[in-house]
Amino acid sequence: MLEFTKKTVLKSLAKGVVLAAVATFTWGQPAFAESPFHTGVWQLNTKDGPRGLVVSDWLVFEDGLPKRWLYRRAGTNDQNQFDFFTRTINDSGYTPVGIRVYRTGEHAMKYTLAPKGEEPFEVTAERLSIPNYKNSCLSVEKKGNRFYRSWNGTASSKLKKLKLSKSRLTVDGEARNVTVEEVRVGRMGIMEDGKPLAFLTDAGGDYAVLQWFKPGVSVEQMRDKEREILDFASEEVVRNPGGDCDRQIASRLKAMK
């Protein structure tokens, strides 16, 4: 479990912490037609100067890659304020740090990190990207067909190549006959011989996460929209080699001042 102190919070901000607002991760509620307000590219205004904030619908990115899942706390899903639990990729439980985002204007918000047992740390943020522009390259909405393609491994994966079709999963040249179904917006359930094998979850941007199940996960658990599976055998971040979201993000971050 990753422990956060004030020092590490400041260090993370200095590296360009990325926040994700969980839209369809509010289990049991219908998906929204657009990405949440927070999705996009932002400038954090810290006492040490401006820092980049890149936001997908669901994940915190760090060092350019998806890093930290966010799950909305019950009772905080009004149009302006959102509080989140967090979980680091490949951890089996929640990380002891909360995140709050609070809309303060059409293109502005406050961003707060709240490590357990410590004083919250808050900064303001200004949007650098256009809200929901062409559905936003960081959004997970309306992109179901994007799963069926070839993906490259990243620094956050053991695999080098992944290819998914509606009947076959190929990892580093090893093919398996599978069935694939959309279990919720932005997430595909992959089964082999009728047994759950993995999720392929849209991470926003050019990325997805292959989440290998541990033995014993049932079809009902895989399809459950109310309870999230937190404990996986492993989670591997992959990239669409033809994606151009990284380029768009870099272009927006150049606008910081």
Side-chain angles (χ1 to χ4, degrees), residues 35-75:
S35 291
F37 167 78
H38 330 288
T39 300
V41 182
W42 298 78
Q43 175 179 308
L44 288 175
N45 302 309
T46 78
K47 66 178 183 179
D48 298 317
R51 305 296 181 189
L53 177 70
V54 183
V55 186
S56 79
D57 284 7
W58 294 348
L59 273 156
V60 173
F61 283 50
E62 292 180 12
D63 299 320
L65 292 174
K67 178 70 173 182
R68 211 173 305 283
W69 298 101
L70 290 97
Y71 309 93
R72 187 182 299 163
R73 290 176 180 265

Side-chain angles (χ1 to χ4, degrees), residues 137 139-140 143-151 188 200-208 238 240:
C137 78
S139 170
V140 306
K143 296 181 179 178
N145 289 332
R146 84 180 224 121
F147 287 105
Y148 301 115
R149 66 170 71 247
S150 295
W151 301 83
M188 295 294 183
L200 186 59
T201 300
D202 195 331
D206 297 328
Y207 300 94
V238 294
N240 170 14

